[in-house]
Amino acid sequence: MRVLIRGAGDIATGIALRLHRAGVHVVMTDLPQPTAIRRTVCFSQAILYGTWSVEGVSAVCAAAEEDVDTILASGAIPVLPDPLCACKTWLQPDALVDAVLAKRNIGTAITDAPVVIGVGPGFTAGEDCHAVVETMRGHTLGRVYEAGSALPNTAVPGLIGGYAGERVLRAPADGIFCQRLEIGTLVKAGDVAGTVGGQPMQCTIDGVLRGILPDGIPVFQGMKAGDVDPRGDVSACNTVSDKALAVGGGVLEALLHLTGALL
């Protein structure tokens, strides 16, 4: 079975790991200049560096159509710089998973593949996809809906270690982001993790810097540009999150149910 995942950020990577470990042939797409925050656990980084590994699984940038089968045969996951997911026309996947997490549908249709799965809000099962997987932290995280939609976006991050919105670092201005601290750095409230046009992006809580944009990314004021985990576990910076694994499990469930496959 061949599954195309649109997006290669941290949640999409958790999905890819679940599917890959279950024996599914996974292909992913992302932006030519990825904007993932939790870069250490994002297969999108293969686009920038050629290869990238997460939890022992490798992804390789596929520069052309003919590279995909070669990379799959090697046991790795191909990642294409293809934000419009145009590759679906020649790849002809058995299933397509939209895991861009744009909070809205940016172009996925129920006719894109025999099975189409939407991840998070913005999709309606039976209209633009066959199933939707819940991404909201809480009782329904990872649940599969074959009718209706996921819970609406609240714009408030899920609670971790007693903190929600305080965890997120946002760009202080429009401009080009300048990274000051590395992922995995233990930080205190007030530490400057990055700057935009000389204006500081300060941490508001103590913890470990779990994610941050790299140098040179254009940002707008208020854009998510970093993430502090108040639990302070540095090792967690190199493994996919509980949320990503839960969503990945939901996608795997939906895929098996809708295809009737035994992997």
Side-chain angles (χ1 to χ4, degrees):
M1 179 184 295
R2 183 170 292 190
V3 175
L4 176 60
I5 301 178
R6 187 175 187 183
D10 61 314
I11 300 298
T13 297
I15 296 169
L17 284 175
R18 285 286 204 201
L19 300 189
H20 177 83
R21 288 167 175 163
V24 176
H25 289 158
V26 176
V27 180
M28 307 181 81
T29 68
D30 210 289
L31 301 169
Q33 187 178 33
T35 57
I37 301 294
R38 293 203 63 207
R39 292 177 282 131
T40 48
V41 290
C42 293
F43 284 138
S44 61
Q45 299 305 285
I47 293 174
L48 298 177
Y49 299 103
T51 63
W52 196 261
S53 293
V54 178
E55 295 193 14
V57 176
S58 294
V60 178
C61 182
E65 177 180 343
E66 54 267 24
D67 295 333
V68 170
D69 286 337
T70 302
I71 294 169
L72 286 171
S74 74
I77 295 174
V79 185
L80 296 97
D82 179 12
L84 298 179
C85 210
C87 65
K88 65 180 181 285
T89 58
W90 52 261
L91 189 65
Q92 296 187 324
D94 298 297
L96 184 146
V97 179
D98 190 322
V100 174
L101 298 184
K103 316 301 183 186
R104 57 189 177 88
N105 187 339
I106 58 173
T108 292
I110 199 170
T111 55
D112 284 342
V115 170
V116 177
I117 300 170
V119 178
F123 301 97
T124 301
E127 294 183 10
D128 50 12
C129 61
H130 298 96
V132 177
V133 177
E134 182 61 70
T135 58
M136 180 77 74
R137 283 190 183 274
H139 183 70
T140 57
L141 176 64
R143 188 170 293 275
V144 178
Y145 306 116
E146 293 188 29
S149 307
L151 293 171
N153 179 34
T154 64
V156 178
L159 199 67
I160 292 179
Y163 294 94
E166 304 95 329
R167 297 188 294 107
V168 176
L169 306 181
R170 300 192 181 276
D174 298 347
I176 303 300
F177 186 76
C178 178
Q179 179 187 352
R180 292 277 295 273
L181 298 178
E182 296 293 333
I183 294 173
T185 301
L186 291 170
V187 298
K188 296 287 187 182
D191 287 351
V192 177
T195 60
V196 180
Q199 296 190 46
M201 182 179 76
Q202 293 181 308
C203 302
T204 59
I205 60 172
D206 298 352
V208 61
L209 189 64
R210 192 172 64 159
I212 190 169
L213 288 176
D215 275 334
I217 297 292
V219 296
F220 56 85
Q221 186 175 12
M223 176 178 170
K224 183 178 178 180
D227 175 17
V228 175
D229 187 333
R231 295 169 295 190
D233 182 1
V234 176
S235 66
C237 297
N238 297 311
T239 54
V240 298
S241 67
D242 53 345
K243 178 177 178 176
L245 288 178
V247 173
V251 171
L252 180 58
E253 175 192 329
L255 182 65
L256 292 176
H257 178 67
L258 291 168
T259 62
L262 281 177
L263 302 180

